[in-house]
mmCIF file of all heavy atoms in Angstrom:
data_model
loop_
_atom_site.group_PDB
_atom_site.id
_atom_site.type_symbol
_atom_site.label_atom_id
_atom_site.label_comp_id
_atom_site.label_asym_id
_atom_site.label_seq_id
_atom_site.Cartn_x
_atom_site.Cartn_y
_atom_site.Cartn_z
ATOM 1 N N LEU A 1 6.416 -23.488 -143.907
ATOM 2 C CA LEU A 1 5.488 -23.438 -142.778
ATOM 3 C C LEU A 1 4.120 -22.938 -143.215
ATOM 4 O O LEU A 1 3.090 -23.484 -142.793
ATOM 5 C CB LEU A 1 6.041 -22.544 -141.670
ATOM 6 C CG LEU A 1 7.155 -23.110 -140.821
ATOM 7 C CD1 LEU A 1 7.722 -22.045 -139.903
ATOM 8 C CD2 LEU A 1 6.682 -24.299 -140.026
ATOM 9 N N LEU A 2 4.085 -21.916 -144.043
ATOM 10 C CA LEU A 2 2.799 -21.396 -144.521
ATOM 11 C C LEU A 2 2.057 -22.439 -145.353
ATOM 12 O O LEU A 2 0.857 -22.662 -145.164
ATOM 13 C CB LEU A 2 3.013 -20.118 -145.331
ATOM 14 C CG LEU A 2 3.457 -18.891 -144.543
ATOM 15 C CD1 LEU A 2 3.812 -17.752 -145.489
ATOM 16 C CD2 LEU A 2 2.396 -18.463 -143.556
ATOM 17 N N LEU A 3 2.763 -23.094 -146.262
ATOM 18 C CA LEU A 3 2.131 -24.094 -147.118
ATOM 19 C C LEU A 3 1.664 -25.304 -146.307
ATOM 20 O O LEU A 3 0.520 -25.751 -146.447
ATOM 21 C CB LEU A 3 3.098 -24.534 -148.218
ATOM 22 C CG LEU A 3 2.574 -25.588 -149.182
ATOM 23 C CD1 LEU A 3 1.423 -25.011 -150.006
ATOM 24 C CD2 LEU A 3 3.674 -26.083 -150.077
ATOM 25 N N LEU A 4 2.541 -25.828 -145.451
ATOM 26 C CA LEU A 4 2.176 -26.990 -144.650
ATOM 27 C C LEU A 4 1.044 -26.660 -143.678
ATOM 28 O O LEU A 4 0.162 -27.491 -143.436
ATOM 29 C CB LEU A 4 3.400 -27.515 -143.897
ATOM 30 C CG LEU A 4 3.278 -28.874 -143.240
ATOM 31 C CD1 LEU A 4 2.992 -29.949 -144.278
ATOM 32 C CD2 LEU A 4 4.545 -29.208 -142.486
ATOM 33 N N GLY A 5 1.044 -25.452 -143.139
ATOM 34 C CA GLY A 5 -0.041 -25.034 -142.248
ATOM 35 C C GLY A 5 -1.377 -24.997 -142.961
ATOM 36 O O GLY A 5 -2.393 -25.479 -142.446
ATOM 37 N N MET A 6 -1.383 -24.443 -144.179
ATOM 38 C CA MET A 6 -2.644 -24.395 -144.934
ATOM 39 C C MET A 6 -3.107 -25.794 -145.330
ATOM 40 O O MET A 6 -4.304 -26.083 -145.304
ATOM 41 C CB MET A 6 -2.486 -23.503 -146.157
ATOM 42 C CG MET A 6 -2.365 -22.039 -145.797
ATOM 43 S SD MET A 6 -2.447 -20.882 -147.178
ATOM 44 C CE MET A 6 -1.042 -21.344 -148.154
ATOM 45 N N ILE A 7 -2.166 -26.669 -145.684
ATOM 46 C CA ILE A 7 -2.530 -28.046 -146.034
ATOM 47 C C ILE A 7 -3.123 -28.760 -144.820
ATOM 48 O O ILE A 7 -4.154 -29.434 -144.932
ATOM 49 C CB ILE A 7 -1.307 -28.801 -146.596
ATOM 50 C CG1 ILE A 7 -0.950 -28.276 -147.978
ATOM 51 C CG2 ILE A 7 -1.564 -30.304 -146.642
ATOM 52 C CD1 ILE A 7 0.363 -28.804 -148.526
ATOM 53 N N GLN A 8 -2.487 -28.610 -143.656
ATOM 54 C CA GLN A 8 -2.975 -29.285 -142.456
ATOM 55 C C GLN A 8 -4.340 -28.740 -142.027
ATOM 56 O O GLN A 8 -5.209 -29.497 -141.599
ATOM 57 C CB GLN A 8 -1.969 -29.140 -141.311
ATOM 58 C CG GLN A 8 -0.705 -29.912 -141.494
ATOM 59 C CD GLN A 8 -0.898 -31.414 -141.389
ATOM 60 O OE1 GLN A 8 -1.892 -31.909 -140.885
ATOM 61 N NE2 GLN A 8 0.078 -32.147 -141.873
ATOM 62 N N ILE A 9 -4.542 -27.430 -142.127
ATOM 63 C CA ILE A 9 -5.854 -26.862 -141.792
ATOM 64 C C ILE A 9 -6.916 -27.390 -142.741
ATOM 65 O O ILE A 9 -8.011 -27.783 -142.314
ATOM 66 C CB ILE A 9 -5.800 -25.323 -141.810
ATOM 67 C CG1 ILE A 9 -4.989 -24.809 -140.619
ATOM 68 C CG2 ILE A 9 -7.196 -24.724 -141.792
ATOM 69 C CD1 ILE A 9 -4.730 -23.322 -140.648
ATOM 70 N N SER A 10 -6.603 -27.421 -144.025
ATOM 71 C CA SER A 10 -7.566 -27.951 -145.007
ATOM 72 C C SER A 10 -7.880 -29.409 -144.743
ATOM 73 O O SER A 10 -9.037 -29.835 -144.814
ATOM 74 C CB SER A 10 -7.014 -27.799 -146.423
ATOM 75 O OG SER A 10 -6.743 -26.464 -146.701
ATOM 76 N N LEU A 11 -6.836 -30.185 -144.421
ATOM 77 C CA LEU A 11 -7.052 -31.597 -144.096
ATOM 78 C C LEU A 11 -7.919 -31.740 -142.852
ATOM 79 O O LEU A 11 -8.825 -32.577 -142.808
ATOM 80 C CB LEU A 11 -5.702 -32.294 -143.895
ATOM 81 C CG LEU A 11 -5.711 -33.796 -143.680
ATOM 82 C CD1 LEU A 11 -6.321 -34.502 -144.885
ATOM 83 C CD2 LEU A 11 -4.308 -34.291 -143.430
ATOM 84 N N GLY A 12 -7.672 -30.913 -141.842
ATOM 85 C CA GLY A 12 -8.478 -30.953 -140.626
ATOM 86 C C GLY A 12 -9.932 -30.598 -140.882
ATOM 87 O O GLY A 12 -10.843 -31.225 -140.325
ATOM 88 N N VAL A 13 -10.171 -29.610 -141.728
ATOM 89 C CA VAL A 13 -11.546 -29.220 -142.060
ATOM 90 C C VAL A 13 -12.240 -30.349 -142.814
ATOM 91 O O VAL A 13 -13.416 -30.675 -142.539
ATOM 92 C CB VAL A 13 -11.554 -27.902 -142.867
ATOM 93 C CG1 VAL A 13 -12.912 -27.624 -143.473
ATOM 94 C CG2 VAL A 13 -11.118 -26.746 -141.977
ATOM 95 N N MET A 14 -11.537 -30.971 -143.759
ATOM 96 C CA MET A 14 -12.133 -32.081 -144.507
ATOM 97 C C MET A 14 -12.416 -33.278 -143.597
ATOM 98 O O MET A 14 -13.445 -33.941 -143.738
ATOM 99 C CB MET A 14 -11.232 -32.494 -145.668
ATOM 100 C CG MET A 14 -11.225 -31.504 -146.797
ATOM 101 S SD MET A 14 -10.416 -32.048 -148.314
ATOM 102 C CE MET A 14 -8.950 -32.852 -147.765
ATOM 103 N N ILE A 15 -11.498 -33.559 -142.677
ATOM 104 C CA ILE A 15 -11.700 -34.674 -141.746
ATOM 105 C C ILE A 15 -12.943 -34.430 -140.901
ATOM 106 O O ILE A 15 -13.762 -35.334 -140.702
ATOM 107 C CB ILE A 15 -10.458 -34.871 -140.860
ATOM 108 C CG1 ILE A 15 -9.317 -35.451 -141.691
ATOM 109 C CG2 ILE A 15 -10.752 -35.767 -139.664
ATOM 110 C CD1 ILE A 15 -7.978 -35.418 -140.991
ATOM 111 N N ASN A 16 -13.104 -33.207 -140.394
ATOM 112 C CA ASN A 16 -14.284 -32.900 -139.588
ATOM 113 C C ASN A 16 -15.554 -32.910 -140.424
ATOM 114 O O ASN A 16 -16.598 -33.374 -139.959
ATOM 115 C CB ASN A 16 -14.126 -31.539 -138.905
ATOM 116 C CG ASN A 16 -13.223 -31.625 -137.702
ATOM 117 O OD1 ASN A 16 -13.055 -32.678 -137.101
ATOM 118 N ND2 ASN A 16 -12.609 -30.509 -137.360
ATOM 119 N N HIS A 17 -15.474 -32.410 -141.649
ATOM 120 C CA HIS A 17 -16.652 -32.361 -142.506
ATOM 121 C C HIS A 17 -17.153 -33.767 -142.848
ATOM 122 O O HIS A 17 -18.360 -34.019 -142.836
ATOM 123 C CB HIS A 17 -16.351 -31.588 -143.787
ATOM 124 C CG HIS A 17 -17.497 -31.554 -144.744
ATOM 125 N ND1 HIS A 17 -18.632 -30.804 -144.516
ATOM 126 C CD2 HIS A 17 -17.697 -32.195 -145.920
ATOM 127 C CE1 HIS A 17 -19.478 -30.983 -145.510
ATOM 128 N NE2 HIS A 17 -18.928 -31.821 -146.389
ATOM 129 N N PHE A 18 -16.244 -34.670 -143.158
ATOM 130 C CA PHE A 18 -16.633 -36.029 -143.519
ATOM 131 C C PHE A 18 -16.689 -36.968 -142.319
ATOM 132 O O PHE A 18 -16.829 -38.175 -142.482
ATOM 133 C CB PHE A 18 -15.683 -36.585 -144.593
ATOM 134 C CG PHE A 18 -15.803 -35.883 -145.903
ATOM 135 C CD1 PHE A 18 -14.763 -35.114 -146.381
ATOM 136 C CD2 PHE A 18 -16.968 -35.973 -146.659
ATOM 137 C CE1 PHE A 18 -14.859 -34.453 -147.603
ATOM 138 C CE2 PHE A 18 -17.081 -35.319 -147.874
ATOM 139 C CZ PHE A 18 -16.027 -34.543 -148.346
ATOM 140 N N GLN A 19 -16.552 -36.426 -141.114
ATOM 141 C CA GLN A 19 -16.659 -37.162 -139.846
ATOM 142 C C GLN A 19 -15.709 -38.364 -139.808
ATOM 143 O O GLN A 19 -16.104 -39.492 -139.519
ATOM 144 C CB GLN A 19 -18.098 -37.587 -139.613
ATOM 145 C CG GLN A 19 -19.029 -36.404 -139.505
ATOM 146 C CD GLN A 19 -20.478 -36.795 -139.400
ATOM 147 O OE1 GLN A 19 -20.834 -37.961 -139.538
ATOM 148 N NE2 GLN A 19 -21.331 -35.826 -139.147
ATOM 149 N N LEU A 20 -14.439 -38.116 -140.096
ATOM 150 C CA LEU A 20 -13.417 -39.159 -140.076
ATOM 151 C C LEU A 20 -12.502 -39.023 -138.860
ATOM 152 O O LEU A 20 -11.353 -39.442 -138.893
ATOM 153 C CB LEU A 20 -12.582 -39.095 -141.362
ATOM 154 C CG LEU A 20 -13.354 -39.315 -142.655
ATOM 155 C CD1 LEU A 20 -12.481 -39.039 -143.853
ATOM 156 C CD2 LEU A 20 -13.904 -40.725 -142.702
ATOM 157 N N ASN A 21 -13.023 -38.448 -137.785
ATOM 158 C CA ASN A 21 -12.224 -38.215 -136.582
ATOM 159 C C ASN A 21 -11.831 -39.504 -135.865
ATOM 160 O O ASN A 21 -10.956 -39.484 -135.006
ATOM 161 C CB ASN A 21 -12.971 -37.304 -135.612
ATOM 162 C CG ASN A 21 -13.067 -35.895 -136.141
ATOM 163 O OD1 ASN A 21 -12.138 -35.403 -136.757
ATOM 164 N ND2 ASN A 21 -14.206 -35.258 -135.912
ATOM 165 N N LYS A 22 -12.448 -40.612 -136.201
ATOM 166 C CA LYS A 22 -12.128 -41.865 -135.510
ATOM 167 C C LYS A 22 -10.769 -42.438 -135.918
ATOM 168 O O LYS A 22 -10.251 -43.322 -135.258
ATOM 169 C CB LYS A 22 -13.236 -42.891 -135.746
ATOM 170 C CG LYS A 22 -13.485 -43.192 -137.201
ATOM 171 C CD LYS A 22 -14.691 -44.093 -137.375
ATOM 172 C CE LYS A 22 -15.046 -44.149 -138.849
ATOM 173 N NZ LYS A 22 -16.347 -44.730 -139.056
ATOM 174 N N PHE A 23 -10.172 -41.928 -136.984
ATOM 175 C CA PHE A 23 -8.860 -42.399 -137.431
ATOM 176 C C PHE A 23 -7.747 -41.484 -136.922
ATOM 177 O O PHE A 23 -6.896 -41.026 -137.680
ATOM 178 C CB PHE A 23 -8.819 -42.471 -138.960
ATOM 179 C CG PHE A 23 -9.876 -43.355 -139.552
ATOM 180 C CD1 PHE A 23 -10.904 -42.812 -140.297
ATOM 181 C CD2 PHE A 23 -9.836 -44.720 -139.350
ATOM 182 C CE1 PHE A 23 -11.878 -43.624 -140.845
ATOM 183 C CE2 PHE A 23 -10.798 -45.543 -139.897
ATOM 184 C CZ PHE A 23 -11.836 -44.994 -140.639
ATOM 185 N N VAL A 24 -7.747 -41.224 -135.637
ATOM 186 C CA VAL A 24 -6.829 -40.262 -135.028
ATOM 187 C C VAL A 24 -5.369 -40.656 -135.262
ATOM 188 O O VAL A 24 -4.542 -39.805 -135.583
ATOM 189 C CB VAL A 24 -7.119 -40.115 -133.522
ATOM 190 C CG1 VAL A 24 -6.081 -39.246 -132.849
ATOM 191 C CG2 VAL A 24 -8.502 -39.552 -133.310
ATOM 192 N N LEU A 25 -5.039 -41.920 -135.107
ATOM 193 C CA LEU A 25 -3.649 -42.339 -135.279
ATOM 194 C C LEU A 25 -3.152 -42.091 -136.707
ATOM 195 O O LEU A 25 -1.996 -41.713 -136.909
ATOM 196 C CB LEU A 25 -3.480 -43.810 -134.912
ATOM 197 C CG LEU A 25 -3.650 -44.141 -133.426
ATOM 198 C CD1 LEU A 25 -3.523 -45.635 -133.197
ATOM 199 C CD2 LEU A 25 -2.631 -43.389 -132.602
ATOM 200 N N LEU A 26 -4.012 -42.274 -137.667
ATOM 201 C CA LEU A 26 -3.649 -42.000 -139.055
ATOM 202 C C LEU A 26 -3.377 -40.511 -139.261
ATOM 203 O O LEU A 26 -2.412 -40.138 -139.933
ATOM 204 C CB LEU A 26 -4.763 -42.469 -139.992
ATOM 205 C CG LEU A 26 -4.513 -42.277 -141.480
ATOM 206 C CD1 LEU A 26 -3.344 -43.135 -141.940
ATOM 207 C CD2 LEU A 26 -5.769 -42.615 -142.251
ATOM 208 N N TRP A 27 -4.182 -39.653 -138.644
ATOM 209 C CA TRP A 27 -4.000 -38.207 -138.817
ATOM 210 C C TRP A 27 -2.747 -37.720 -138.081
ATOM 211 O O TRP A 27 -2.053 -36.831 -138.572
ATOM 212 C CB TRP A 27 -5.234 -37.453 -138.348
ATOM 213 C CG TRP A 27 -6.511 -37.970 -138.953
ATOM 214 C CD1 TRP A 27 -7.675 -38.200 -138.303
ATOM 215 C CD2 TRP A 27 -6.751 -38.349 -140.309
ATOM 216 N NE1 TRP A 27 -8.613 -38.695 -139.162
ATOM 217 C CE2 TRP A 27 -8.073 -38.792 -140.408
ATOM 218 C CE3 TRP A 27 -5.969 -38.360 -141.462
ATOM 219 C CZ2 TRP A 27 -8.633 -39.228 -141.600
ATOM 220 C CZ3 TRP A 27 -6.528 -38.809 -142.648
ATOM 221 C CH2 TRP A 27 -7.839 -39.230 -142.713
ATOM 222 N N VAL A 28 -2.469 -38.298 -136.921
ATOM 223 C CA VAL A 28 -1.237 -37.949 -136.208
ATOM 224 C C VAL A 28 -0.027 -38.393 -137.027
ATOM 225 O O VAL A 28 0.973 -37.670 -137.131
ATOM 226 C CB VAL A 28 -1.220 -38.565 -134.793
ATOM 227 C CG1 VAL A 28 0.131 -38.410 -134.135
ATOM 228 C CG2 VAL A 28 -2.298 -37.931 -133.937
ATOM 229 N N LEU A 29 -0.114 -39.570 -137.625
ATOM 230 C CA LEU A 29 0.958 -40.041 -138.491
ATOM 231 C C LEU A 29 1.144 -39.106 -139.689
ATOM 232 O O LEU A 29 2.274 -38.826 -140.089
ATOM 233 C CB LEU A 29 0.667 -41.463 -138.968
ATOM 234 C CG LEU A 29 1.718 -42.089 -139.878
ATOM 235 C CD1 LEU A 29 3.024 -42.279 -139.111
ATOM 236 C CD2 LEU A 29 1.225 -43.415 -140.412
ATOM 237 N N ALA A 30 0.056 -38.590 -140.232
ATOM 238 C CA ALA A 30 0.139 -37.648 -141.351
ATOM 239 C C ALA A 30 0.833 -36.358 -140.915
ATOM 240 O O ALA A 30 1.636 -35.787 -141.673
ATOM 241 C CB ALA A 30 -1.258 -37.337 -141.891
ATOM 242 N N ILE A 31 0.579 -35.904 -139.707
ATOM 243 C CA ILE A 31 1.232 -34.702 -139.182
ATOM 244 C C ILE A 31 2.730 -34.932 -139.042
ATOM 245 O O ILE A 31 3.553 -34.122 -139.489
ATOM 246 C CB ILE A 31 0.616 -34.299 -137.829
ATOM 247 C CG1 ILE A 31 -0.784 -33.736 -138.029
ATOM 248 C CG2 ILE A 31 1.493 -33.277 -137.115
ATOM 249 C CD1 ILE A 31 -1.529 -33.494 -136.741
ATOM 250 N N VAL A 32 3.099 -36.048 -138.418
ATOM 251 C CA VAL A 32 4.513 -36.350 -138.201
ATOM 252 C C VAL A 32 5.227 -36.532 -139.531
ATOM 253 O O VAL A 32 6.322 -35.990 -139.743
ATOM 254 C CB VAL A 32 4.661 -37.603 -137.305
ATOM 255 C CG1 VAL A 32 6.096 -38.065 -137.243
ATOM 256 C CG2 VAL A 32 4.121 -37.315 -135.914
ATOM 257 N N LEU A 33 4.634 -37.267 -140.439
ATOM 258 C CA LEU A 33 5.242 -37.498 -141.742
ATOM 259 C C LEU A 33 5.383 -36.201 -142.538
ATOM 260 O O LEU A 33 6.420 -35.951 -143.159
ATOM 261 C CB LEU A 33 4.419 -38.527 -142.529
ATOM 262 C CG LEU A 33 5.030 -39.046 -143.810
ATOM 263 C CD1 LEU A 33 6.342 -39.766 -143.515
ATOM 264 C CD2 LEU A 33 4.065 -39.976 -144.514
ATOM 265 N N GLY A 34 4.364 -35.371 -142.518
ATOM 266 C CA GLY A 34 4.434 -34.090 -143.216
ATOM 267 C C GLY A 34 5.510 -33.182 -142.648
ATOM 268 O O GLY A 34 6.250 -32.533 -143.391
ATOM 269 N N SER A 35 5.639 -33.153 -141.332
ATOM 270 C CA SER A 35 6.678 -32.330 -140.704
ATOM 271 C C SER A 35 8.062 -32.856 -141.036
ATOM 272 O O SER A 35 8.975 -32.080 -141.345
ATOM 273 C CB SER A 35 6.479 -32.302 -139.191
ATOM 274 O OG SER A 35 5.236 -31.751 -138.875
ATOM 275 N N TRP A 36 8.246 -34.153 -140.960
ATOM 276 C CA TRP A 36 9.546 -34.747 -141.249
ATOM 277 C C TRP A 36 9.941 -34.528 -142.712
ATOM 278 O O TRP A 36 11.074 -34.167 -143.007
ATOM 279 C CB TRP A 36 9.523 -36.236 -140.925
ATOM 280 C CG TRP A 36 10.829 -36.914 -141.193
ATOM 281 C CD1 TRP A 36 11.967 -36.827 -140.458
ATOM 282 C CD2 TRP A 36 11.125 -37.775 -142.299
ATOM 283 N NE1 TRP A 36 12.960 -37.592 -141.031
ATOM 284 C CE2 TRP A 36 12.469 -38.184 -142.167
ATOM 285 C CE3 TRP A 36 10.394 -38.241 -143.376
ATOM 286 C CZ2 TRP A 36 13.080 -39.026 -143.076
ATOM 287 C CZ3 TRP A 36 11.010 -39.078 -144.271
ATOM 288 C CH2 TRP A 36 12.332 -39.462 -144.114
ATOM 289 N N LEU A 37 8.983 -34.723 -143.619
ATOM 290 C CA LEU A 37 9.282 -34.521 -145.036
ATOM 291 C C LEU A 37 9.603 -33.067 -145.347
ATOM 292 O O LEU A 37 10.473 -32.789 -146.173
ATOM 293 C CB LEU A 37 8.110 -35.005 -145.897
ATOM 294 C CG LEU A 37 7.953 -36.518 -146.002
ATOM 295 C CD1 LEU A 37 6.680 -36.863 -146.762
ATOM 296 C CD2 LEU A 37 9.159 -37.152 -146.652
ATOM 297 N N SER A 38 8.933 -32.142 -144.677
ATOM 298 C CA SER A 38 9.232 -30.733 -144.924
ATOM 299 C C SER A 38 10.629 -30.382 -144.421
ATOM 300 O O SER A 38 11.354 -29.623 -145.068
ATOM 301 C CB SER A 38 8.182 -29.833 -144.280
ATOM 302 O OG SER A 38 8.249 -29.905 -142.880
ATOM 303 N N PHE A 39 11.042 -30.934 -143.280
ATOM 304 C CA PHE A 39 12.395 -30.701 -142.777
ATOM 305 C C PHE A 39 13.431 -31.287 -143.734
ATOM 306 O O PHE A 39 14.431 -30.645 -144.048
ATOM 307 C CB PHE A 39 12.554 -31.313 -141.384
ATOM 308 C CG PHE A 39 13.961 -31.251 -140.865
ATOM 309 C CD1 PHE A 39 14.497 -30.059 -140.416
ATOM 310 C CD2 PHE A 39 14.745 -32.388 -140.836
ATOM 311 C CE1 PHE A 39 15.798 -29.998 -139.949
ATOM 312 C CE2 PHE A 39 16.046 -32.339 -140.371
ATOM 313 C CZ PHE A 39 16.576 -31.136 -139.924
ATOM 314 N N ARG A 40 13.199 -32.497 -144.210
ATOM 315 C CA ARG A 40 14.125 -33.120 -145.161
ATOM 316 C C ARG A 40 14.206 -32.311 -146.458
ATOM 317 O O ARG A 40 15.278 -32.151 -147.025
ATOM 318 C CB ARG A 40 13.686 -34.559 -145.474
ATOM 319 C CG ARG A 40 13.724 -35.501 -144.302
ATOM 320 C CD ARG A 40 15.107 -35.832 -143.890
ATOM 321 N NE ARG A 40 15.755 -36.524 -145.005
ATOM 322 C CZ ARG A 40 17.048 -36.725 -145.088
ATOM 323 N NH1 ARG A 40 17.829 -36.316 -144.143
ATOM 324 N NH2 ARG A 40 17.563 -37.343 -146.119
ATOM 325 N N TYR A 41 13.083 -31.795 -146.914
ATOM 326 C CA TYR A 41 13.066 -30.980 -148.124
ATOM 327 C C TYR A 41 13.896 -29.709 -147.931
ATOM 328 O O TYR A 41 14.693 -29.339 -148.802
ATOM 329 C CB TYR A 41 11.615 -30.629 -148.485
ATOM 330 C CG TYR A 41 11.479 -29.551 -149.520
ATOM 331 C CD1 TYR A 41 11.766 -29.803 -150.853
ATOM 332 C CD2 TYR A 41 11.058 -28.273 -149.166
ATOM 333 C CE1 TYR A 41 11.640 -28.813 -151.816
ATOM 334 C CE2 TYR A 41 10.934 -27.281 -150.109
ATOM 335 C CZ TYR A 41 11.226 -27.555 -151.421
ATOM 336 O OH TYR A 41 11.104 -26.575 -152.358
ATOM 337 N N LEU A 42 13.705 -29.040 -146.803
ATOM 338 C CA LEU A 42 14.466 -27.818 -146.531
ATOM 339 C C LEU A 42 15.962 -28.087 -146.472
ATOM 340 O O LEU A 42 16.764 -27.348 -147.047
ATOM 341 C CB LEU A 42 14.013 -27.203 -145.206
ATOM 342 C CG LEU A 42 12.737 -26.410 -145.221
ATOM 343 C CD1 LEU A 42 12.330 -26.046 -143.798
ATOM 344 C CD2 LEU A 42 12.892 -25.172 -146.052
ATOM 345 N N GLU A 43 16.351 -29.130 -145.775
ATOM 346 C CA GLU A 43 17.772 -29.437 -145.645
ATOM 347 C C GLU A 43 18.371 -29.844 -147.001
ATOM 348 O O GLU A 43 19.496 -29.473 -147.311
ATOM 349 C CB GLU A 43 17.986 -30.550 -144.622
ATOM 350 C CG GLU A 43 17.790 -30.082 -143.198
ATOM 351 C CD GLU A 43 18.808 -29.057 -142.770
ATOM 352 O OE1 GLU A 43 20.014 -29.349 -142.820
ATOM 353 O OE2 GLU A 43 18.402 -27.954 -142.387
ATOM 354 N N HIS A 44 17.623 -30.591 -147.802
ATOM 355 C CA HIS A 44 18.113 -30.988 -149.119
ATOM 356 C C HIS A 44 18.288 -29.761 -150.014
ATOM 357 O O HIS A 44 19.305 -29.629 -150.708
ATOM 358 C CB HIS A 44 17.153 -31.985 -149.770
ATOM 359 C CG HIS A 44 17.530 -32.350 -151.165
ATOM 360 N ND1 HIS A 44 18.595 -33.165 -151.462
ATOM 361 C CD2 HIS A 44 16.982 -31.988 -152.355
ATOM 362 C CE1 HIS A 44 18.695 -33.290 -152.774
ATOM 363 N NE2 HIS A 44 17.718 -32.588 -153.335
ATOM 364 N N LYS A 45 17.313 -28.880 -149.989
ATOM 365 C CA LYS A 45 17.381 -27.673 -150.808
ATOM 366 C C LYS A 45 18.548 -26.787 -150.369
ATOM 367 O O LYS A 45 19.283 -26.253 -151.204
ATOM 368 C CB LYS A 45 16.054 -26.917 -150.686
ATOM 369 C CG LYS A 45 15.815 -25.898 -151.729
ATOM 370 C CD LYS A 45 14.378 -25.403 -151.631
ATOM 371 C CE LYS A 45 14.127 -24.356 -152.670
ATOM 372 N NZ LYS A 45 12.761 -23.868 -152.653
ATOM 373 N N LEU A 46 18.744 -26.663 -149.074
ATOM 374 C CA LEU A 46 19.849 -25.855 -148.558
ATOM 375 C C LEU A 46 21.193 -26.493 -148.882
ATOM 376 O O LEU A 46 22.150 -25.804 -149.247
ATOM 377 C CB LEU A 46 19.683 -25.671 -147.049
ATOM 378 C CG LEU A 46 20.616 -24.697 -146.362
ATOM 379 C CD1 LEU A 46 20.528 -23.321 -146.999
ATOM 380 C CD2 LEU A 46 20.273 -24.612 -144.897
ATOM 381 N N ARG A 47 21.263 -27.806 -148.794
ATOM 382 C CA ARG A 47 22.501 -28.503 -149.130
ATOM 383 C C ARG A 47 22.842 -28.319 -150.609
ATOM 384 O O ARG A 47 24.000 -28.093 -150.963
ATOM 385 C CB ARG A 47 22.358 -29.980 -148.805
ATOM 386 C CG ARG A 47 23.622 -30.746 -149.033
ATOM 387 C CD ARG A 47 23.502 -32.126 -148.458
ATOM 388 N NE ARG A 47 24.793 -32.765 -148.607
ATOM 389 C CZ ARG A 47 24.964 -33.965 -149.096
ATOM 390 N NH1 ARG A 47 23.939 -34.685 -149.443
ATOM 391 N NH2 ARG A 47 26.161 -34.468 -149.216
ATOM 392 N N GLN A 48 21.860 -28.405 -151.472
ATOM 393 C CA GLN A 48 22.092 -28.195 -152.904
ATOM 394 C C GLN A 48 22.582 -26.778 -153.174
ATOM 395 O O GLN A 48 23.493 -26.575 -153.986
ATOM 396 C CB GLN A 48 20.808 -28.468 -153.700
ATOM 397 C CG GLN A 48 20.362 -29.902 -153.686
ATOM 398 C CD GLN A 48 21.370 -30.821 -154.340
ATOM 399 O OE1 GLN A 48 21.985 -30.477 -155.332
ATOM 400 N NE2 GLN A 48 21.554 -31.989 -153.766
#
């Protein structure tokens, strides 16, 4: 959560800095994909 939170905040700052806010669907997809991958990573690590 700490790592993904810092990555998402950094991505949000870069998006605002470079004025790429018009690609909202892409950024929402990045949020969903990042959350899903982090859950899969946790479950895989716990299963191992």
Side-chain angles (χ1 to χ4, degrees):
L1 284 172
L2 290 172
L3 179 66
L4 192 61
M6 290 190 298
I7 289 171
Q8 290 290 343
I9 289 173
S10 302
L11 186 61
V13 168
M14 287 190 317
I15 289 168
N16 282 336
H17 177 72
F18 293 113
Q19 298 175 353
L20 299 172
N21 290 323
K22 58 186 170 193
F23 302 112
V24 174
L25 291 177
L26 181 65
W27 309 136
V28 170
L29 180 65
I31 288 172
V32 171
L33 189 62
S35 299
W36 180 74
L37 286 174
S38 67
F39 173 74
R40 296 289 297 166
Y41 167 73
L42 281 172
E43 286 295 302
H44 175 73
K45 197 170 179 178
L46 189 56
R47 184 169 185 228
Q48 293 297 322

